[in-house]
Amino acid sequence: MALTGRAGLLAALGALVVLVAPAPPVAVLGLALLLAVLVAVDLLLAGGVRGLRLHRDGERLVRLGESVTVGLVVENPGRRRVKGVVRDAWPPSAGAAPCHLKLDVPAGQRRRLVTTLTPTRRGDREAVTVTVRSVGPLGLAARQGSHLVPWSVRVLPPFLSRKHLPGKLARLRELDGRHPALVRGQGTEFDSLREYVVGDDVRSIDWRATARRSDVVVRTWRPERDRRVLIVLDTGRTSAGRVGVAPHPGQPSGWPRLDWSMDAALLLAALAARAGDRVDFLAHDRTVRAWLSGASRSDLLSSLVNAMAPIEAELVEADAPGMVSAVLARAKRRCLVVLLTDLNAAAMEEGLLPVLPRLSSRHTVLVAAVADPRVADMASGRGTAELVYDAAAAERLRGERRWITARLRGQGVEVVDAPPEELAPALADAYLALKAAGRL
Amino acid sequence: MSAATPPTSVSTSPTAGSVWRGGRGVLAIALLVLVTAVVPVLLSSPGTGDRPLDPADSSLQGGKALAQLLRRHGVSVERVESVSAMAASAGPDSQLLIGDTVALSADDARVIAAAGGDRLIAGPQTHLDILAKGVLTGKDVRSRSREPGCALPEATRAGSAFVGGVSFVAPAGAAGCYPAAGRPTLVRHTVDGATVTVIGDSAFMTNMRLAEDGNAALALNLTGAKPRLIWLTAPEKPVTGVTGTGEGKTLGELIPDAVPWAMLQLAVAVAVVAVWRGRRLGPVVAERLPVVVRASETVEGRGRLYRARRARDRAAQALRAAAIDRMAPRLGLPPTAAPEEIVAAATVRTGREAPEVRSALYGPAPADDGALVALAGQLDTLERQVRDS
């Protein structure tokens, strides 16, 4: 039950009646009784909300930063018209609008209401409750009730770095195009035989084939295909730190490292899928948070964003030995392990470095980390003592990162350390470089 | 309706029955509290309220106990609320009791003095010079149990009693009892043929004190001296004078009677509006939010720690190490190069003096913050020279 502003107005106007009434106490009592009777009558005549049947339709997936509409169909099987307002409650970060919807359903009919969701962060958003307030014909009182109408919308990572994809694919084709003879590195794959033309590397002449035919024949090579790329996402505490500027409003202190890492992982996955490699995905902190394997090349990206969407940074120290074991258990054949984590000297030295040889002895390892542009800003601070102290602290952190990078490189691990917006292209470049060198 | 959606929604609102089942316990307790609060108030006698020394008041400050005792002893107690009524019923067989709760004007005091009959003035009064000619007010003294200390039979028969309040200066020939600091707090003397008794404190006559000490005896002895006791109590409304015409109406009296009721109606309206605005459309939605912590907070915290501890040595060390790390590759040296090699290479490259370069890169820790800022500047200059040359 709920009252309306009209009931309050009626009670306030009653004060004027009391002023001119011959017997004010009786008038007050009478007005109170009148109001109570009118409210009771209105409540009785209002359409029932308990019997309403509601269900939803609409979208279930949305990219972060885009809007999506969800329909709510209200069916009124009762004998009275249901007129009033509806609140379709969603969590605040689902960005539901409008928050109140007008409703007018005659008896036995149905109406469709539309709520627009503009989520402000990644993950699954569940609808909470639908509350209907049905106002009586006098407009003095209303019946109110809530219904559970389950629906969930999955907010996918936005894949901002897809703008870099055409450029990287062009470089990949370049790599493909300069296939014959010029690149004869270790690990490149035999493609076909063709006639020798002037300028070909004499070392690529296939003498056996030449002997069979009367012409000089060379082998051609192409970049290796069907290699495996395993993207490992560290979802531990260091991935929760926010860096850079969030691409969508509503997150003033930046975007978590995790989201930047996902963005880079998506570009790498898209590129690797086009290059003919198989991409697997593992998210790990103390346990396996997500595992995606064997996705076909056409639906790799959609499977990947689906697997990534519900992952949140956990406030626990990542278990590096457990992560290495999980990788080794899943990657039977040699593959490129791309580890998206943070170059935190203390955490790395105790966690990853001792167990890294187990991983790098069997796989090619690439560590990618998001650098904090704020630290670079601080490091260039000069002029006052405060700024110089901050600069010293920033330099110390950068020194630690340089040191850990040198340690990792010393163990034969590739390291990509780039600011948030540049991480995805830098990681793609590192992948292309490895591919060109035939190190996959 | 897609296959994934359930055919009907589930209503989560409580039914009338469940509201009743859930709320009846609370309702019962609230009712119980209300009843236990209201019943004693209703059962207690409809006393005149907070009116001290009133023969009809049964509260602790009232005088109902004394009035009942007097009636049992055959003394008729007449309760009057105005000085004029008191003067009208005064006679030779009556005694006037004037408590300290009645504010009397000088005219009132003269009317009482002229009415004749014995007078008992309990508690401090302003117009004592008219009511009890000759008695002067002395100092304030504490009320406590005191001995009679005089020959007055009413006092000696009662023994000790709870008196005090104000001491008096008795005129010649008057009886003074219950002395406090050498001055009596009860004085009896005769003025114009009437026996006038003045006592400094009326508390011993109240319901609270009557049962203590010899209070009851003293009170009965003093008030029961005549067959009729005319008891002046504070009137319902303050009387401005014996001939009060009430020309100055208060603001409350000028407001029409309907206005307070209209205010009540407005209060009802405010309550209705409060219910209207207070009813939320559905529950508050809680959401588990991710932590919001800037990754740079640890660095900022370290910077503040450096600043708070004035850790110039560590700050300088960090700045120098960073500068050397960046310069060494440009100078064609490995990161592990010895200090002398770096100084020598930088000297050659920039053309600056070796001691100057050495003090910038490997000098002692800066002595103060100014020196630290200067060092940062020197390192920047050196780095730029190495880079540009």
Side-chain angles (χ1 to χ4, degrees):
Chain A
M1 182 212 142
L3 295 178
T4 64
R6 205 179 283 184
L9 187 68
L10 196 67
L13 289 177
L16 295 177
V17 177
V18 170
L19 273 181
V20 298
V26 179
V28 170
L29 202 67
L31 281 169
L33 277 175
L34 178 70
L35 194 64
V37 167
L38 287 177
V39 164
V41 166
D42 215 20
L43 279 177
L44 281 176
L45 293 180
V49 293
R50 185 179 303 282
L52 289 178
R53 284 207 285 271
L54 301 100
H55 59 265
R56 292 181 191 274
D57 54 42
E59 306 285 330
R60 283 193 177 269
L61 291 175
V62 60
R63 272 191 200 288
L64 180 60
E66 293 171 5
S67 293
V68 75
T69 56
V70 173
L72 176 71
V73 175
V74 183
E75 191 183 339
N76 180 13
R79 285 181 290 113
R80 291 202 184 82
R81 168 185 289 259
V82 172
K83 188 179 177 184
V85 286
V86 172
R87 173 174 170 237
D88 189 4
W90 289 81
S93 70
C99 55
H100 292 177
L101 300 153
K102 281 205 186 318
L103 178 73
D104 189 358
V105 197
Q109 296 195 23
R110 59 173 67 180
R111 290 285 181 273
R112 185 168 181 269
L113 307 171
V114 175
T115 304
T116 305
L117 305 181
T118 313
T120 54
R121 65 186 179 89
R122 200 170 35 75
D124 287 338
R125 298 287 162 272
E126 302 275 345
V128 185
T129 51
V130 176
T131 307
V132 184
R133 180 177 286 184
S134 162
V135 182
L138 300 175
L140 291 175
R143 295 194 195 182
Q144 182 172 325
S146 295
H147 292 259
L148 275 183
V149 196
W151 191 262
S152 79
V153 171
R154 176 160 282 192
V155 187
L156 305 172
F159 194 14
L160 299 167
S161 57
R162 64 175 176 273
K163 63 184 177 218
H164 297 293
L165 192 57
K168 302 303 167 194
L169 286 175
R171 278 204 52 202
L172 187 70
R173 278 193 296 275
E174 215 172 90
L175 213 63
D176 250 331
R178 65 172 192 199
H179 56 128
L182 294 178
V183 181
R184 247 206 102 216
Q186 155 228 2
T188 50
E189 284 183 347
F190 173 73
D191 185 23
S192 62
L193 294 169
R194 64 167 173 77
E195 286 178 12
Y196 176 84
V197 291
V198 177
D200 281 344
D201 190 343
V202 290
R203 286 177 296 175
S204 59
I205 293 173
D206 188 331
W207 292 110
R208 196 177 299 177
T210 304
R212 259 188 258 123
R213 300 162 69 167
S214 58
D215 213 350
V216 182
V217 170
V218 291
R219 290 181 193 173
T220 60
W221 311 87
R222 59 168 190 183
E224 14 173 49
R225 293 179 69 88
D226 294 314
R227 302 290 140 155
R228 288 162 182 272
V229 177
L230 173 55
I231 300 172
V232 182
L233 194 59
D234 173 10
T235 59
R237 63 171 179 88
T238 54
S239 66
R242 292 179 178 239
V243 294
V245 180
H248 306 296
Q251 308 214 6
S253 47
W255 226 24
R257 276 209 168 92
L258 185 68
D259 288 59
W260 292 114
S261 300
M262 284 180 180
D263 206 44
L266 284 173
L267 181 65
L268 176 64
L271 194 60
R274 293 290 189 89
D277 290 335
R278 288 192 44 190
V279 179
D280 296 334
F281 172 73
L282 175 74
H284 193 280
D285 42 71
R286 297 202 77 81
T287 60
V288 174
R289 296 279 164 203
W291 168 241
L292 177 73
S293 175
S296 72
R297 270 160 207 166
S298 52
D299 61 30
L300 170 72
L301 270 189
S302 58
S303 314
L304 201 54
V305 289
N306 244 317
M308 282 176 175
I311 297 175
E312 291 287 340
E314 299 290 327
L315 295 187
V316 293
E317 188 71 49
D319 173 22
M323 188 265 291
V324 168
S325 303
V327 169
L328 290 176
R330 283 168 173 77
K332 301 293 182 205
R333 287 169 52 190
R334 182 176 180 83
C335 59
L336 170 68
V337 176
V338 179
L339 177 56
L340 288 152
T341 180
D342 183 34
L343 291 173
N344 185 310
M348 277 249 169
E349 197 177 5
E350 287 173 16
L352 188 64
L353 278 178
V355 292
L356 198 58
R358 279 171 60 202
L359 198 60
S360 56
S361 62
R362 288 190 53 191
H363 303 287
T364 310
V365 181
L366 195 162
V367 173
V370 187
D372 193 346
R374 168 94 183 108
V375 172
D377 288 350
M378 283 171 74
S380 59
R382 294 289 185 271
T384 66
E386 282 72 23
L387 289 175
V388 172
Y389 279 122
D390 279 354
E395 289 291 11
R396 191 182 155 117
L397 181 86
R398 297 212 295 188
E400 285 172 357
R401 281 178 90 96
R402 276 197 301 273
W403 175 80
I404 200 80
T405 305
R407 291 276 308 266
L408 288 169
R409 289 204 170 121
Q411 296 205 19
V413 172
E414 291 292 319
V415 180
V416 175
D417 184 10
E421 282 87 1
E422 293 158 33
L423 179 68
L427 182 61
D429 286 344
Y431 164 78
L432 288 173
L434 283 173
K435 199 162 182 67
R439 285 184 56 197
L440 291 190
Chain B
M1 200 181 293
S2 76
T5 49
T8 50
S9 51
V10 184
S11 175
T12 55
S13 302
T15 61
S18 71
V19 168
W20 165 244
R21 277 192 298 279
R24 62 188 170 187
V26 178
L27 200 68
I29 291 171
L31 213 62
L32 194 70
V33 168
L34 202 68
V35 165
T36 47
V38 166
V39 163
V41 173
L42 291 180
L43 288 183
S44 65
S45 66
T48 48
D50 189 26
R51 297 170 64 193
L53 215 59
D54 187 316
D57 186 27
S58 59
S59 74
L60 287 178
Q61 302 303 318
K64 192 170 183 178
L66 178 59
Q68 282 181 344
L69 277 178
L70 285 168
R71 287 197 187 97
R72 207 172 294 163
H73 285 77
V75 179
S76 83
V77 178
E78 294 173 25
R79 180 175 177 277
V80 293
E81 285 192 356
S82 70
V83 172
S84 47
M86 182 179 228
S89 59
D93 61 339
S94 67
Q95 181 171 225
L96 309 178
L97 171 57
I98 300 133
D100 56 350
T101 57
V102 191
L104 296 176
S105 66
D107 289 341
D108 293 338
R110 273 183 216 107
V111 169
I112 291 169
D118 293 352
R119 297 193 283 280
L120 174 60
I121 298 144
Q125 264 298 348
T126 43
H127 302 290
L128 217 55
D129 52 335
I130 303 167
L131 291 170
K133 206 175 286 176
V135 179
L136 298 174
T137 311
K139 289 184 295 186
D140 288 353
V141 295
R142 199 167 64 83
S143 292
R144 62 177 176 83
S145 181
R146 296 179 194 280
E147 292 301 318
C150 68
L152 195 68
E154 283 90 341
T156 51
R157 274 196 308 233
S160 66
F162 185 86
V163 289
V166 177
S167 64
F168 301 101
V169 181
C177 298
Y178 299 105
R183 294 275 170 75
T185 60
L186 186 154
V187 173
R188 167 169 283 187
H189 71 310
T190 309
V191 181
D192 303 334
T195 307
V196 177
T197 314
V198 184
I199 188 153
D201 185 12
S202 63
F204 73 100
M205 295 198 288
T206 59
N207 295 338
M208 181 170 73
R209 298 275 179 203
L210 201 64
E212 297 172 9
D213 244 345
N215 291 355
L218 180 66
L220 280 174
N221 291 344
L222 291 175
T223 56
K226 289 288 175 70
R228 283 170 58 216
L229 179 69
I230 301 168
W231 192 325
L232 180 66
T233 58
E236 295 280 358
K237 287 180 184 172
V239 175
T240 48
V242 277
T243 56
T245 53
E247 70 258 1
K249 279 187 174 176
T250 60
L251 189 64
E253 288 163 342
L254 290 171
I255 292 176
D257 288 345
V259 170
W261 293 103
M263 298 301 286
L264 181 66
Q265 180 62 32
L266 279 180
V268 171
V270 167
V272 171
V273 170
V275 172
W276 164 45
R277 299 307 302 170
R279 182 78 164 107
R280 217 171 32 227
L281 192 56
V284 172
V285 180
E287 183 180 5
R288 184 175 170 262
L289 290 170
V291 286
V292 176
V293 54
R294 291 199 61 90
S296 57
E297 268 185 17
T298 50
V299 185
E300 282 162 7
R302 192 195 287 269
R304 278 194 290 271
L305 270 180
Y306 280 170
R307 202 183 317 163
R309 306 302 310 163
R310 298 280 163 223
R312 287 180 289 272
D313 48 347
R314 287 171 184 278
Q317 196 187 347
L319 290 171
R320 282 168 169 158
I324 292 166
D325 272 4
R326 280 191 294 264
M327 279 192 288
R330 292 183 179 279
L331 294 170
L333 295 169
T336 51
E340 278 315 311
E341 287 178 76
I342 287 176
V343 170
T347 310
V348 168
R349 178 73 69 91
T350 61
R352 291 171 65 173
E353 298 293 324
E356 201 186 342
V357 174
R358 187 181 292 111
S359 83
L361 290 179
Y362 298 100
D368 53 20
D369 284 355
L372 180 69
V373 175
L375 174 68
Q378 285 169 20
L379 289 171
D380 282 356
T381 311
L382 189 63
E383 224 183 304
R384 196 170 53 246
Q385 285 172 344
V386 167
R387 192 173 62 228
D388 295 347
S389 60

